[in-house]
Amino acid sequence: MSVHCFTPAGTGFGYRDGVLCAEEVPLPQIAAAYGTPCYVYSRAALEAAYAGYVSALAGRNALICYAVKANSNLAILNLFARLGGGFDIVSGGELARVLTAGGDAAKVVFSGVGKSPDEMRAALAAGILCFNVESASELATLNDVAGSMGKRAPVSLRVNPDVDPKTHPYIATGLRSTKFGIPFEEALPLYRRARDLPHIDIHGIDCHIGSQLLDPAPAAEAAARLLGLVDALAGEGIALSHIDVGGGMGIRYRDEAAPAASEYLAPLLGVLAGRRERLLFEPGRSLVGNAGLLLARVAVLKHGAEKNFAVVDAAMNDLARPALYEAWHDIVTVEVSPGGAAAKPYEVVGPVCESGDFLGHDRPLAVDEGDLLAILSAGAYGMAMSSNYNSRPRAAEVVVDGGRVHLVRERERIEQLFAGERVLP
Ligand code: LLP
């Protein structure tokens, strides 16, 4: 069996003596101790991904604001906080997670098209770095909320640069047709209005054009469009202190030529060369995606006339990406089948009652019932998008650090599923 190294730095996961390991720990050991399905993250891979950004940004006045939505486990947030990272949040819940995990509020940017007044209040009370404002209505509400607290709200306007990021339509956000950001031509008038609001401080400009971007050109093009605005604003006496270029760098799921952070950022940094503004980045997937896998066990094999099914104990509620986007995740056996089962093409599916509940189609696998499978590159938008559909408790999460395994989220218990529910009197 070939040796897999799933992260650019070669850290994380690989086979040793025919058994897939997370760093130094064989995955069967984790399955035995914590059960399946279980998300397994590699600390070294997380740190290597972060280090890739740090070295790409060396010498620049830059802040990495990890996009919490990609994976919001407190252990992961704490790890990035300890490395000096900031955070990109999109809800009061994410703010609470960041603060609980020891994140620095002064390094938090708050994105999202529908921030509630309560969320604004919480973020103002915490003293975040900046609100990435996405509409005129939000700006007015934020001004009122800040005024009611006797504060001034630091803002960036999230500008929609109308560039095609060339990614899946569900995760493209920088085109004019999406709900995100302020249309390019409306930005200047809105900045003027912001300048005149008593409880608003203009700090920066922001954009985020999409996710799983493999070509660095659209991000550089978006940055160039932003710079045109930044300079026009300066001409009107509105000086910005930072430029936030969002997240979006893609990773390798299958055979994509995923760029290293240094390659992806080079054209963008070229466009931004010599600028005095601080640069903000909001990477999510590229920091955690390849640093995690979903460990599952084959429950049932069904061999049919047309298709073979491997029913595993993980499902679309644990990892929604295949069902939602037809996303492709590599699925590998954890151990070379001891009984020497021959490889057959399998539909790898979960127990959820939907035909769309699949993790992979037509995968050649040599498996028996009871074998362990690993669904790779599941660290981003995996656990974070999980649900309790079919009343399935959420998976456990562990972080492996060298030879040690840390349980960072317990498997959900059945009672927790309906703890907040009441029957009618
Ligand atoms: N900043 C903003 C404002 C965002 O909306 C996002 C992601 C990011 C940063 C981080 O982008 P990243 O570096 O992870 O590409 N659930 C989808 C991805 C949705 C991305 C949403 N926004 C998936 O599983 O592919």
Side-chain angles (χ1 to χ4, degrees), residues 67 69-70 88 111 158 171 208 210-212 246-249 282-286 321 325 380-381 385:
K69 63 169 82 70
D88 168 47
S111 303
R158 175 168 175 186
I171 49 179
H208 170 78
S211 199
Q212 184 54 13
M249 184 173 94
E282 302 171 358
R285 186 191 319 267
S286 52
R321 303 190 72 257
Y325 315 115
Y381 306 109
M385 289 172 68

mmCIF file with all atom_site columns, all heavy atoms in Angstrom, residues 67 69-70 88 111 158 171 208 210-212 246-249 282-286 321 325 380-381 385, ligand 1:
data_model
loop_
_atom_site.group_PDB
_atom_site.id
_atom_site.type_symbol
_atom_site.label_atom_id
_atom_site.label_alt_id
_atom_site.label_comp_id
_atom_site.label_asym_id
_atom_site.label_entity_id
_atom_site.label_seq_id
_atom_site.pdbx_PDB_ins_code
_atom_site.Cartn_x
_atom_site.Cartn_y
_atom_site.Cartn_z
_atom_site.occupancy
_atom_site.B_iso_or_equiv
_atom_site.pdbx_formal_charge
_atom_site.auth_seq_id
_atom_site.auth_comp_id
_atom_site.auth_asym_id
_atom_site.auth_atom_id
_atom_site.pdbx_PDB_model_num
ATOM   1   N N   . ALA A 1 67  ? -10.704 31.581 9.976  1.00 0.00 ? 67  ALA A N   1
ATOM   2   C CA  . ALA A 1 67  ? -12.163 31.573 9.800  1.00 0.00 ? 67  ALA A CA  1
ATOM   3   C C   . ALA A 1 67  ? -12.749 30.438 10.637 1.00 0.00 ? 67  ALA A C   1
ATOM   4   O O   . ALA A 1 67  ? -12.700 29.267 10.261 1.00 0.00 ? 67  ALA A O   1
ATOM   5   C CB  . ALA A 1 67  ? -12.529 31.406 8.324  1.00 0.00 ? 67  ALA A CB  1
ATOM   6   N N   . LYS A 1 69  ? -15.578 29.286 11.226 1.00 0.00 ? 69  LYS A N   1
ATOM   7   C CA  . LYS A 1 69  ? -16.621 28.418 10.694 1.00 0.00 ? 69  LYS A CA  1
ATOM   8   C C   . LYS A 1 69  ? -16.065 27.116 10.128 1.00 0.00 ? 69  LYS A C   1
ATOM   9   O O   . LYS A 1 69  ? -16.770 26.121 10.058 1.00 0.00 ? 69  LYS A O   1
ATOM   10  C CB  . LYS A 1 69  ? -17.431 29.147 9.619  1.00 0.00 ? 69  LYS A CB  1
ATOM   11  C CG  . LYS A 1 69  ? -16.615 29.532 8.396  1.00 0.00 ? 69  LYS A CG  1
ATOM   12  C CD  . LYS A 1 69  ? -17.499 30.016 7.258  1.00 0.00 ? 69  LYS A CD  1
ATOM   13  C CE  . LYS A 1 69  ? -17.909 31.468 7.400  1.00 0.00 ? 69  LYS A CE  1
ATOM   14  N NZ  . LYS A 1 69  ? -16.809 32.437 7.211  1.00 0.00 ? 69  LYS A NZ  1
ATOM   15  N N   . ALA A 1 70  ? -14.810 27.113 9.726  1.00 0.00 ? 70  ALA A N   1
ATOM   16  C CA  . ALA A 1 70  ? -14.252 25.899 9.115  1.00 0.00 ? 70  ALA A CA  1
ATOM   17  C C   . ALA A 1 70  ? -14.141 24.764 10.132 1.00 0.00 ? 70  ALA A C   1
ATOM   18  O O   . ALA A 1 70  ? -14.375 23.590 9.793  1.00 0.00 ? 70  ALA A O   1
ATOM   19  C CB  . ALA A 1 70  ? -12.879 26.191 8.504  1.00 0.00 ? 70  ALA A CB  1
ATOM   20  N N   . ASP A 1 88  ? -11.705 35.193 12.328 1.00 0.00 ? 88  ASP A N   1
ATOM   21  C CA  . ASP A 1 88  ? -12.819 35.736 11.560 1.00 0.00 ? 88  ASP A CA  1
ATOM   22  C C   . ASP A 1 88  ? -14.057 35.000 12.047 1.00 0.00 ? 88  ASP A C   1
ATOM   23  O O   . ASP A 1 88  ? -14.130 33.771 11.915 1.00 0.00 ? 88  ASP A O   1
ATOM   24  C CB  . ASP A 1 88  ? -12.588 35.481 10.064 1.00 0.00 ? 88  ASP A CB  1
ATOM   25  C CG  . ASP A 1 88  ? -13.822 35.742 9.234  1.00 0.00 ? 88  ASP A CG  1
ATOM   26  O OD1 . ASP A 1 88  ? -14.454 36.794 9.432  1.00 0.00 ? 88  ASP A OD1 1
ATOM   27  O OD2 . ASP A 1 88  ? -14.176 34.891 8.387  1.00 0.00 ? 88  ASP A OD2 1
ATOM   28  N N   . SER A 1 111 ? -17.533 39.001 10.339 1.00 0.00 ? 111 SER A N   1
ATOM   29  C CA  . SER A 1 111 ? -18.124 39.013 8.998  1.00 0.00 ? 111 SER A CA  1
ATOM   30  C C   . SER A 1 111 ? -19.568 38.520 9.061  1.00 0.00 ? 111 SER A C   1
ATOM   31  O O   . SER A 1 111 ? -20.008 38.021 10.089 1.00 0.00 ? 111 SER A O   1
ATOM   32  C CB  . SER A 1 111 ? -17.342 38.080 8.061  1.00 0.00 ? 111 SER A CB  1
ATOM   33  O OG  . SER A 1 111 ? -15.983 38.431 8.012  1.00 0.00 ? 111 SER A OG  1
ATOM   34  N N   . ARG A 1 158 ? -17.310 45.423 3.544  1.00 0.00 ? 158 ARG A N   1
ATOM   35  C CA  . ARG A 1 158 ? -17.011 44.273 2.701  1.00 0.00 ? 158 ARG A CA  1
ATOM   36  C C   . ARG A 1 158 ? -17.511 44.583 1.309  1.00 0.00 ? 158 ARG A C   1
ATOM   37  O O   . ARG A 1 158 ? -18.709 44.644 1.048  1.00 0.00 ? 158 ARG A O   1
ATOM   38  C CB  . ARG A 1 158 ? -17.687 43.008 3.215  1.00 0.00 ? 158 ARG A CB  1
ATOM   39  C CG  . ARG A 1 158 ? -17.474 41.843 2.252  1.00 0.00 ? 158 ARG A CG  1
ATOM   40  C CD  . ARG A 1 158 ? -17.862 40.531 2.840  1.00 0.00 ? 158 ARG A CD  1
ATOM   41  N NE  . ARG A 1 158 ? -17.753 39.454 1.852  1.00 0.00 ? 158 ARG A NE  1
ATOM   42  C CZ  . ARG A 1 158 ? -18.127 38.227 2.065  1.00 0.00 ? 158 ARG A CZ  1
ATOM   43  N NH1 . ARG A 1 158 ? -18.637 37.885 3.234  1.00 0.00 ? 158 ARG A NH1 1
ATOM   44  N NH2 . ARG A 1 158 ? -18.002 37.306 1.134  1.00 0.00 ? 158 ARG A NH2 1
ATOM   45  N N   . ILE A 1 171 ? -20.055 28.032 -3.216 1.00 0.00 ? 171 ILE A N   1
ATOM   46  C CA  . ILE A 1 171 ? -19.042 28.632 -2.346 1.00 0.00 ? 171 ILE A CA  1
ATOM   47  C C   . ILE A 1 171 ? -18.317 29.791 -3.031 1.00 0.00 ? 171 ILE A C   1
ATOM   48  O O   . ILE A 1 171 ? -17.292 30.249 -2.578 1.00 0.00 ? 171 ILE A O   1
ATOM   49  C CB  . ILE A 1 171 ? -18.047 27.569 -1.789 1.00 0.00 ? 171 ILE A CB  1
ATOM   50  C CG1 . ILE A 1 171 ? -17.488 26.670 -2.887 1.00 0.00 ? 171 ILE A CG1 1
ATOM   51  C CG2 . ILE A 1 171 ? -18.723 26.726 -0.727 1.00 0.00 ? 171 ILE A CG2 1
ATOM   52  C CD1 . ILE A 1 171 ? -16.491 25.632 -2.376 1.00 0.00 ? 171 ILE A CD1 1
ATOM   53  N N   . HIS A 1 208 ? -14.065 38.950 0.243  1.00 0.00 ? 208 HIS A N   1
ATOM   54  C CA  . HIS A 1 208 ? -13.835 37.498 0.297  1.00 0.00 ? 208 HIS A CA  1
ATOM   55  C C   . HIS A 1 208 ? -14.557 36.962 -0.918 1.00 0.00 ? 208 HIS A C   1
ATOM   56  O O   . HIS A 1 208 ? -15.777 37.087 -1.012 1.00 0.00 ? 208 HIS A O   1
ATOM   57  C CB  . HIS A 1 208 ? -14.391 36.898 1.593  1.00 0.00 ? 208 HIS A CB  1
ATOM   58  C CG  . HIS A 1 208 ? -14.394 35.391 1.574  1.00 0.00 ? 208 HIS A CG  1
ATOM   59  N ND1 . HIS A 1 208 ? -13.253 34.649 1.795  1.00 0.00 ? 208 HIS A ND1 1
ATOM   60  C CD2 . HIS A 1 208 ? -15.376 34.499 1.318  1.00 0.00 ? 208 HIS A CD2 1
ATOM   61  C CE1 . HIS A 1 208 ? -13.545 33.370 1.687  1.00 0.00 ? 208 HIS A CE1 1
ATOM   62  N NE2 . HIS A 1 208 ? -14.818 33.254 1.399  1.00 0.00 ? 208 HIS A NE2 1
ATOM   63  N N   . GLY A 1 210 ? -14.543 33.776 -2.386 1.00 0.00 ? 210 GLY A N   1
ATOM   64  C CA  . GLY A 1 210 ? -15.005 32.401 -2.523 1.00 0.00 ? 210 GLY A CA  1
ATOM   65  C C   . GLY A 1 210 ? -14.061 31.460 -1.829 1.00 0.00 ? 210 GLY A C   1
ATOM   66  O O   . GLY A 1 210 ? -13.104 31.886 -1.171 1.00 0.00 ? 210 GLY A O   1
ATOM   67  N N   . SER A 1 211 ? -14.328 30.184 -1.984 1.00 0.00 ? 211 SER A N   1
ATOM   68  C CA  . SER A 1 211 ? -13.619 29.180 -1.209 1.00 0.00 ? 211 SER A CA  1
ATOM   69  C C   . SER A 1 211 ? -13.124 28.074 -2.133 1.00 0.00 ? 211 SER A C   1
ATOM   70  O O   . SER A 1 211 ? -13.625 27.922 -3.250 1.00 0.00 ? 211 SER A O   1
ATOM   71  C CB  . SER A 1 211 ? -14.612 28.625 -0.184 1.00 0.00 ? 211 SER A CB  1
ATOM   72  O OG  . SER A 1 211 ? -13.966 27.990 0.868  1.00 0.00 ? 211 SER A OG  1
ATOM   73  N N   . GLN A 1 212 ? -12.161 27.318 -1.638 1.00 0.00 ? 212 GLN A N   1
ATOM   74  C CA  . GLN A 1 212 ? -11.529 26.240 -2.422 1.00 0.00 ? 212 GLN A CA  1
ATOM   75  C C   . GLN A 1 212 ? -11.011 26.799 -3.758 1.00 0.00 ? 212 GLN A C   1
ATOM   76  O O   . GLN A 1 212 ? -11.232 26.250 -4.825 1.00 0.00 ? 212 GLN A O   1
ATOM   77  C CB  . GLN A 1 212 ? -12.506 25.059 -2.618 1.00 0.00 ? 212 GLN A CB  1
ATOM   78  C CG  . GLN A 1 212 ? -11.945 23.823 -3.336 1.00 0.00 ? 212 GLN A CG  1
ATOM   79  C CD  . GLN A 1 212 ? -10.663 23.246 -2.718 1.00 0.00 ? 212 GLN A CD  1
ATOM   80  O OE1 . GLN A 1 212 ? -10.279 23.578 -1.618 1.00 0.00 ? 212 GLN A OE1 1
ATOM   81  N NE2 . GLN A 1 212 ? -9.989  22.393 -3.449 1.00 0.00 ? 212 GLN A NE2 1
ATOM   82  N N   . GLY A 1 246 ? -9.691  38.458 2.882  1.00 0.00 ? 246 GLY A N   1
ATOM   83  C CA  . GLY A 1 246 ? -10.526 37.271 3.050  1.00 0.00 ? 246 GLY A CA  1
ATOM   84  C C   . GLY A 1 246 ? -9.723  35.980 3.070  1.00 0.00 ? 246 GLY A C   1
ATOM   85  O O   . GLY A 1 246 ? -8.508  35.973 3.264  1.00 0.00 ? 246 GLY A O   1
ATOM   86  N N   . GLY A 1 247 ? -10.457 34.886 2.865  1.00 0.00 ? 247 GLY A N   1
ATOM   87  C CA  . GLY A 1 247 ? -9.816  33.558 2.851  1.00 0.00 ? 247 GLY A CA  1
ATOM   88  C C   . GLY A 1 247 ? -9.950  32.956 1.472  1.00 0.00 ? 247 GLY A C   1
ATOM   89  O O   . GLY A 1 247 ? -9.962  33.685 0.488  1.00 0.00 ? 247 GLY A O   1
ATOM   90  N N   . GLY A 1 248 ? -10.059 31.649 1.411  1.00 0.00 ? 248 GLY A N   1
ATOM   91  C CA  . GLY A 1 248 ? -10.387 31.013 0.135  1.00 0.00 ? 248 GLY A CA  1
ATOM   92  C C   . GLY A 1 248 ? -9.377  30.073 -0.459 1.00 0.00 ? 248 GLY A C   1
ATOM   93  O O   . GLY A 1 248 ? -9.702  29.335 -1.398 1.00 0.00 ? 248 GLY A O   1
ATOM   94  N N   . MET A 1 249 ? -8.134  30.063 0.047  1.00 0.00 ? 249 MET A N   1
ATOM   95  C CA  . MET A 1 249 ? -7.139  29.192 -0.598 1.00 0.00 ? 249 MET A CA  1
ATOM   96  C C   . MET A 1 249 ? -7.579  27.731 -0.522 1.00 0.00 ? 249 MET A C   1
ATOM   97  O O   . MET A 1 249 ? -7.979  27.237 0.524  1.00 0.00 ? 249 MET A O   1
ATOM   98  C CB  . MET A 1 249 ? -5.779  29.366 0.074  1.00 0.00 ? 249 MET A CB  1
ATOM   99  C CG  . MET A 1 249 ? -4.695  28.554 -0.610 1.00 0.00 ? 249 MET A CG  1
ATOM   100 S SD  . MET A 1 249 ? -3.066  28.914 0.045  1.00 0.00 ? 249 MET A SD  1
ATOM   101 C CE  . MET A 1 249 ? -2.913  27.635 1.270  1.00 0.00 ? 249 MET A CE  1
ATOM   102 N N   . GLU A 1 282 ? -8.156  35.778 6.047  1.00 0.00 ? 282 GLU A N   1
ATOM   103 C CA  . GLU A 1 282 ? -9.179  34.997 6.761  1.00 0.00 ? 282 GLU A CA  1
ATOM   104 C C   . GLU A 1 282 ? -9.196  33.544 6.285  1.00 0.00 ? 282 GLU A C   1
ATOM   105 O O   . GLU A 1 282 ? -10.226 33.041 5.835  1.00 0.00 ? 282 GLU A O   1
ATOM   106 C CB  . GLU A 1 282 ? -10.571 35.606 6.528  1.00 0.00 ? 282 GLU A CB  1
ATOM   107 C CG  . GLU A 1 282 ? -10.726 37.045 6.959  1.00 0.00 ? 282 GLU A CG  1
ATOM   108 C CD  . GLU A 1 282 ? -12.057 37.658 6.516  1.00 0.00 ? 282 GLU A CD  1
ATOM   109 O OE1 . GLU A 1 282 ? -12.856 36.963 5.824  1.00 0.00 ? 282 GLU A OE1 1
ATOM   110 O OE2 . GLU A 1 282 ? -12.305 38.828 6.836  1.00 0.00 ? 282 GLU A OE2 1
ATOM   111 N N   . PRO A 1 283 ? -8.085  32.831 6.366  1.00 0.00 ? 283 PRO A N   1
ATOM   112 C CA  . PRO A 1 283 ? -8.093  31.450 5.867  1.00 0.00 ? 283 PRO A CA  1
ATOM   113 C C   . PRO A 1 283 ? -8.847  30.513 6.808  1.00 0.00 ? 283 PRO A C   1
ATOM   114 O O   . PRO A 1 283 ? -8.754  30.641 8.029  1.00 0.00 ? 283 PRO A O   1
ATOM   115 C CB  . PRO A 1 283 ? -6.610  31.091 5.837  1.00 0.00 ? 283 PRO A CB  1
ATOM   116 C CG  . PRO A 1 283 ? -5.984  31.940 6.898  1.00 0.00 ? 283 PRO A CG  1
ATOM   117 C CD  . PRO A 1 283 ? -6.781  33.224 6.931  1.00 0.00 ? 283 PRO A CD  1
ATOM   118 N N   . GLY A 1 284 ? -9.596  29.614 6.231  1.00 0.00 ? 284 GLY A N   1
ATOM   119 C CA  . GLY A 1 284 ? -10.278 28.588 7.009  1.00 0.00 ? 284 GLY A CA  1
ATOM   120 C C   . GLY A 1 284 ? -9.803  27.211 6.577  1.00 0.00 ? 284 GLY A C   1
ATOM   121 O O   . GLY A 1 284 ? -8.941  26.588 7.190  1.00 0.00 ? 284 GLY A O   1
ATOM   122 N N   . ARG A 1 285 ? -10.325 26.772 5.437  1.00 0.00 ? 285 ARG A N   1
ATOM   123 C CA  . ARG A 1 285 ? -10.061 25.425 4.933  1.00 0.00 ? 285 ARG A CA  1
ATOM   124 C C   . ARG A 1 285 ? -8.569  25.084 4.883  1.00 0.00 ? 285 ARG A C   1
ATOM   125 O O   . ARG A 1 285 ? -8.146  23.991 5.249  1.00 0.00 ? 285 ARG A O   1
ATOM   126 C CB  . ARG A 1 285 ? -10.652 25.310 3.524  1.00 0.00 ? 285 ARG A CB  1
ATOM   127 C CG  . ARG A 1 285 ? -10.572 23.924 2.927  1.00 0.00 ? 285 ARG A CG  1
ATOM   128 C CD  . ARG A 1 285 ? -10.939 23.949 1.437  1.00 0.00 ? 285 ARG A CD  1
ATOM   129 N NE  . ARG A 1 285 ? -12.045 24.796 1.119  1.00 0.00 ? 285 ARG A NE  1
ATOM   130 C CZ  . ARG A 1 285 ? -13.314 24.380 1.054  1.00 0.00 ? 285 ARG A CZ  1
ATOM   131 N NH1 . ARG A 1 285 ? -13.613 23.121 1.262  1.00 0.00 ? 285 ARG A NH1 1
ATOM   132 N NH2 . ARG A 1 285 ? -14.270 25.233 0.769  1.00 0.00 ? 285 ARG A NH2 1
ATOM   133 N N   . SER A 1 286 ? -7.768  26.034 4.385  1.00 0.00 ? 286 SER A N   1
ATOM   134 C CA  . SER A 1 286 ? -6.354  25.728 4.164  1.00 0.00 ? 286 SER A CA  1
ATOM   135 C C   . SER A 1 286 ? -5.582  25.548 5.475  1.00 0.00 ? 286 SER A C   1
ATOM   136 O O   . SER A 1 286 ? -4.475  25.015 5.472  1.00 0.00 ? 286 SER A O   1
ATOM   137 C CB  . SER A 1 286 ? -5.703  26.814 3.307  1.00 0.00 ? 286 SER A CB  1
ATOM   138 O OG  . SER A 1 286 ? -5.972  28.094 3.861  1.00 0.00 ? 286 SER A OG  1
ATOM   139 N N   . ARG A 1 321 ? -20.459 17.410 3.294  1.00 0.00 ? 321 ARG A N   1
ATOM   140 C CA  . ARG A 1 321 ? -19.928 17.952 2.035  1.00 0.00 ? 321 ARG A CA  1
ATOM   141 C C   . ARG A 1 321 ? -20.244 17.098 0.806  1.00 0.00 ? 321 ARG A C   1
ATOM   142 O O   . ARG A 1 321 ? -20.631 17.644 -0.236 1.00 0.00 ? 321 ARG A O   1
ATOM   143 C CB  . ARG A 1 321 ? -18.409 18.207 2.133  1.00 0.00 ? 321 ARG A CB  1
ATOM   144 C CG  . ARG A 1 321 ? -18.030 19.160 3.283  1.00 0.00 ? 321 ARG A CG  1
ATOM   145 C CD  . ARG A 1 321 ? -16.584 19.600 3.244  1.00 0.00 ? 321 ARG A CD  1
ATOM   146 N NE  . ARG A 1 321 ? -16.361 20.521 2.155  1.00 0.00 ? 321 ARG A NE  1
ATOM   147 C CZ  . ARG A 1 321 ? -15.783 20.225 1.024  1.00 0.00 ? 321 ARG A CZ  1
ATOM   148 N NH1 . ARG A 1 321 ? -15.288 19.023 0.831  1.00 0.00 ? 321 ARG A NH1 1
ATOM   149 N NH2 . ARG A 1 321 ? -15.660 21.122 0.083  1.00 0.00 ? 321 ARG A NH2 1
ATOM   150 N N   . TYR A 1 325 ? -22.469 19.139 -1.701 1.00 0.00 ? 325 TYR A N   1
ATOM   151 C CA  . TYR A 1 325 ? -21.770 19.733 -2.865 1.00 0.00 ? 325 TYR A CA  1
ATOM   152 C C   . TYR A 1 325 ? -21.252 18.692 -3.839 1.00 0.00 ? 325 TYR A C   1
ATOM   153 O O   . TYR A 1 325 ? -20.480 19.035 -4.733 1.00 0.00 ? 325 TYR A O   1
ATOM   154 C CB  . TYR A 1 325 ? -20.534 20.530 -2.405 1.00 0.00 ? 325 TYR A CB  1
ATOM   155 C CG  . TYR A 1 325 ? -20.708 21.433 -1.230 1.00 0.00 ? 325 TYR A CG  1
ATOM   156 C CD1 . TYR A 1 325 ? -20.035 21.178 -0.046 1.00 0.00 ? 325 TYR A CD1 1
ATOM   157 C CD2 . TYR A 1 325 ? -21.521 22.560 -1.303 1.00 0.00 ? 325 TYR A CD2 1
ATOM   158 C CE1 . TYR A 1 325 ? -20.163 22.019 1.050  1.00 0.00 ? 325 TYR A CE1 1
ATOM   159 C CE2 . TYR A 1 325 ? -21.648 23.395 -0.206 1.00 0.00 ? 325 TYR A CE2 1
ATOM   160 C CZ  . TYR A 1 325 ? -20.987 23.128 0.962  1.00 0.00 ? 325 TYR A CZ  1
ATOM   161 O OH  . TYR A 1 325 ? -21.115 23.949 2.041  1.00 0.00 ? 325 TYR A OH  1
ATOM   162 N N   . ALA A 1 380 ? -11.886 20.503 7.606  1.00 0.00 ? 380 ALA A N   1
ATOM   163 C CA  . ALA A 1 380 ? -12.595 21.768 7.387  1.00 0.00 ? 380 ALA A CA  1
ATOM   164 C C   . ALA A 1 380 ? -14.031 21.501 6.961  1.00 0.00 ? 380 ALA A C   1
ATOM   165 O O   . ALA A 1 380 ? -14.271 20.669 6.072  1.00 0.00 ? 380 ALA A O   1
ATOM   166 C CB  . ALA A 1 380 ? -11.903 22.598 6.305  1.00 0.00 ? 380 ALA A CB  1
ATOM   167 N N   . TYR A 1 381 ? -14.979 22.209 7.550  1.00 0.00 ? 381 TYR A N   1
ATOM   168 C CA  . TYR A 1 381 ? -16.383 22.102 7.190  1.00 0.00 ? 381 TYR A CA  1
ATOM   169 C C   . TYR A 1 381 ? -16.879 20.664 7.335  1.00 0.00 ? 381 TYR A C   1
ATOM   170 O O   . TYR A 1 381 ? -17.741 20.221 6.587  1.00 0.00 ? 381 TYR A O   1
ATOM   171 C CB  . TYR A 1 381 ? -16.626 22.664 5.780  1.00 0.00 ? 381 TYR A CB  1
ATOM   172 C CG  . TYR A 1 381 ? -16.114 24.075 5.621  1.00 0.00 ? 381 TYR A CG  1
ATOM   173 C CD1 . TYR A 1 381 ? -14.978 24.354 4.843  1.00 0.00 ? 381 TYR A CD1 1
ATOM   174 C CD2 . TYR A 1 381 ? -16.721 25.125 6.294  1.00 0.00 ? 381 TYR A CD2 1
ATOM   175 C CE1 . TYR A 1 381 ? -14.487 25.653 4.735  1.00 0.00 ? 381 TYR A CE1 1
ATOM   176 C CE2 . TYR A 1 381 ? -16.230 26.421 6.190  1.00 0.00 ? 381 TYR A CE2 1
ATOM   177 C CZ  . TYR A 1 381 ? -15.122 26.672 5.405  1.00 0.00 ? 381 TYR A CZ  1
ATOM   178 O OH  . TYR A 1 381 ? -14.640 27.951 5.302  1.00 0.00 ? 381 TYR A OH  1
ATOM   179 N N   . MET A 1 385 ? -20.077 21.453 10.261 1.00 0.00 ? 385 MET A N   1
ATOM   180 C CA  . MET A 1 385 ? -21.362 21.424 9.553  1.00 0.00 ? 385 MET A CA  1
ATOM   181 C C   . MET A 1 385 ? -22.183 20.193 9.919  1.00 0.00 ? 385 MET A C   1
ATOM   182 O O   . MET A 1 385 ? -23.186 19.893 9.266  1.00 0.00 ? 385 MET A O   1
ATOM   183 C CB  . MET A 1 385 ? -21.121 21.443 8.035  1.00 0.00 ? 385 MET A CB  1
ATOM   184 C CG  . MET A 1 385 ? -20.615 22.787 7.531  1.00 0.00 ? 385 MET A CG  1
ATOM   185 S SD  . MET A 1 385 ? -20.113 22.722 5.805  1.00 0.00 ? 385 MET A SD  1
ATOM   186 C CE  . MET A 1 385 ? -21.686 22.462 5.004  1.00 0.00 ? 385 MET A CE  1
HETATM 187 N N1  . LLP B 2 .   ? -14.059 34.733 5.216  1.00 0.00 ? 1   LLP B N1  1
HETATM 188 C C1  . LLP B 2 .   ? -15.360 34.743 4.905  1.00 0.00 ? 1   LLP B C1  1
HETATM 189 C C2  . LLP B 2 .   ? -16.099 35.995 4.966  1.00 0.00 ? 1   LLP B C2  1
HETATM 190 C C3  . LLP B 2 .   ? -15.996 33.551 4.505  1.00 0.00 ? 1   LLP B C3  1
HETATM 191 O O1  . LLP B 2 .   ? -17.286 33.575 4.178  1.00 0.00 ? 1   LLP B O1  1
HETATM 192 C C4  . LLP B 2 .   ? -15.247 32.348 4.457  1.00 0.00 ? 1   LLP B C4  1
HETATM 193 C C5  . LLP B 2 .   ? -15.890 31.095 4.058  1.00 0.00 ? 1   LLP B C5  1
HETATM 194 C C6  . LLP B 2 .   ? -13.894 32.385 4.832  1.00 0.00 ? 1   LLP B C6  1
HETATM 195 C C7  . LLP B 2 .   ? -13.327 33.601 5.193  1.00 0.00 ? 1   LLP B C7  1
HETATM 196 C C8  . LLP B 2 .   ? -13.030 31.168 4.832  1.00 0.00 ? 1   LLP B C8  1
HETATM 197 O O2  . LLP B 2 .   ? -12.885 30.645 3.551  1.00 0.00 ? 1   LLP B O2  1
HETATM 198 P P1  . LLP B 2 .   ? -11.880 29.416 3.297  1.00 0.00 ? 1   LLP B P1  1
HETATM 199 O O3  . LLP B 2 .   ? -10.472 29.880 3.546  1.00 0.00 ? 1   LLP B O3  1
HETATM 200 O O4  . LLP B 2 .   ? -12.276 28.316 4.238  1.00 0.00 ? 1   LLP B O4  1
HETATM 201 O O5  . LLP B 2 .   ? -12.130 29.040 1.892  1.00 0.00 ? 1   LLP B O5  1
HETATM 202 N N2  . LLP B 2 .   ? -18.936 24.821 3.516  1.00 0.00 ? 1   LLP B N2  1
HETATM 203 C C9  . LLP B 2 .   ? -18.199 25.020 2.302  1.00 0.00 ? 1   LLP B C9  1
HETATM 204 C C10 . LLP B 2 .   ? -17.309 26.223 2.382  1.00 0.00 ? 1   LLP B C10 1
HETATM 205 C C11 . LLP B 2 .   ? -18.053 27.503 2.722  1.00 0.00 ? 1   LLP B C11 1
HETATM 206 C C12 . LLP B 2 .   ? -17.154 28.700 2.853  1.00 0.00 ? 1   LLP B C12 1
HETATM 207 C C13 . LLP B 2 .   ? -17.883 29.837 3.424  1.00 0.00 ? 1   LLP B C13 1
HETATM 208 N N3  . LLP B 2 .   ? -17.094 31.011 3.690  1.00 0.00 ? 1   LLP B N3  1
HETATM 209 C C14 . LLP B 2 .   ? -17.401 23.747 2.019  1.00 0.00 ? 1   LLP B C14 1
HETATM 210 O O6  . LLP B 2 .   ? -17.540 22.774 2.761  1.00 0.00 ? 1   LLP B O6  1
HETATM 211 O O7  . LLP B 2 .   ? -16.684 23.678 1.021  1.00 0.00 ? 1   LLP B O7  1
#
